[in-house]
């Protein structure tokens, strides 16, 4: 979208308000979409499609100040719909790229990313909402348009599948099952709340 052309002092137009919303929230939406899709191009397409649908409903959404929740919900539903229609073939690589000393643990992030991609779309969406975006059970269930009990089941199944499928990520007391990726989630959430 082009820059806002509203003269200073004039009330903002519907289009300029939407453009401001897109500028302010696109980065966070793309980050969530990347976690869901595993591909930057697909993530950008997913966000763009969700924002197009948000624009069509902007007048109603802006009045309720619910635009971001609507966009995220649309994004998750579009992703699950696409996943059901066609599954994208994953491309694996032999070697992990070298990391710089000042970068976070790239190998761990790639392992977590691969682990997330191994989950069905509904479980992945539930885990991304709960652990990456720190939504409550109620808000995550509302975004995914399912009962809280269904969300809990998806999260539990997804976590069990991650623990069983990726035992190399589990560290600490085996009885506790605290995985390296769970620690990484906690670290990321702690950084975003700082």
């Amino acid at each position: 979208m082009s820059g806002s052309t509203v003269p200073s002092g004039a009330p903002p137009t519907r289009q300029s308000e939407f453009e401001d919303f897109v500028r302010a929230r696109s980065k966070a939406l793309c980050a969530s979409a990347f976690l869901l899709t595993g591909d930057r191009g697909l993530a950008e397409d997913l966000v763009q499609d969700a924002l197009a649908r948000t624009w069509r409903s902007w007048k109603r959404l802006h009045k309720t100040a619910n635009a971001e929740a609507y966009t995220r919900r649309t994004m998750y539903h579009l992703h699950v719909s696409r996943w059901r229609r066609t599954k994208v073939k994953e491309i694996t690589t032999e070697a992990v790229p070298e990391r710089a000393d000042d970068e976070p643990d790239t190998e761990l992030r790639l392992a977590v990313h691969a682990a997330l991609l191994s989950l069905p779309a509904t479980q992945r969406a539930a885990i991304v909402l709960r652990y990456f975006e720190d939504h409550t059970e109620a808000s995550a269930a509302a975004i995914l348009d399912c009962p809280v009990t269904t969300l809990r089941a998806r999260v539990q199944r997804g976590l069990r599948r991650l623990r069983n499928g990726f035992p190399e990520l589990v560290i600490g007391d085996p009885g506790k099952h605290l995985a390296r990726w769970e620690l990484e989630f906690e670290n990321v959430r702690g950084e975003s709340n700082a």
Side-chain angles (χ1 to χ4, degrees), residues 35-61:
L35 291 171
L36 290 171
T37 63
D39 179 90
R40 292 215 186 275
L42 291 174
E44 290 170 358
D45 290 346
L46 183 62
V47 171
Q48 186 172 1
D49 289 347
L51 286 172
R53 291 178 184 216
T54 302
W55 168 247
R56 287 193 293 260
S57 300
W58 183 253
K59 187 175 183 180
R60 175 177 47 91
L61 295 172

Side-chain angles (χ1 to χ4, degrees), residues 13 24 31 40 43-44 60 64 67 72 77-78 88 91 102 106 127 134 140 147-148 151 156 176 187 189:
T13 64
R40 292 215 186 275
E44 290 170 358
R60 175 177 47 91
T64 63
R72 286 183 183 277
H77 285 273
L78 285 171
V88 177
I91 301 172
D102 60 341
T106 305
I127 288 175
D134 202 23
V148 172
L151 176 84
Q156 288 173 356
K176 189 174 181 186
N187 291 338
R189 289 194 333 197

